[in-house]
Amino acid sequence: SLTIPWDKELVGMYIDSGHQYELTKKELTRWVPHVKKDGIIILDDYLDDRVDVKKAVDEYMEENQDKVKVVENQFMGFVMVKL
């Protein structure tokens, strides 16, 4: 959720977003900063052409190259690690 107060560090997270570009981008911006260094972030439906997850993730990765890197990108999932 985008509105739940959160102040704890996460070891990893799985995002199965609302699949719209704006919502996925907001979820990444909201939650990735809470993931600890070397923590894993997994996104569902990355390669599904029916949704806009890929566009949001690709843009987020471009804007945050110094904070996250791609670990895996196949099937329907996308995995990144926080630097």
Side-chain angles (χ1 to χ4, degrees), residues 26-81:
K26 285 178 183 176
E27 289 171 332
L28 288 165
T29 302
R30 164 77 167 108
W31 289 105
V32 170
H34 293 287
V35 176
K36 73 176 198 145
K37 183 181 184 302
D38 297 323
I40 300 293
I41 301 111
I42 301 169
L43 288 107
D44 191 33
D45 297 324
Y46 177 75
L47 295 177
D48 189 338
D49 291 337
R50 299 169 296 167
V51 298
D52 290 328
V53 174
K54 184 177 187 319
K55 178 181 175 186
V57 170
D58 290 351
E59 187 175 292
Y60 184 86
M61 294 295 295
E62 180 69 28
E63 294 168 354
N64 294 278
Q65 293 177 26
D66 59 329
K67 298 176 187 149
V68 290
K69 71 175 181 177
V70 177
V71 175
E72 184 78 30
N73 178 4
Q74 63 179 338
F75 306 110
M76 296 303 276
F78 183 93
V79 180
M80 66 176 104
V81 65

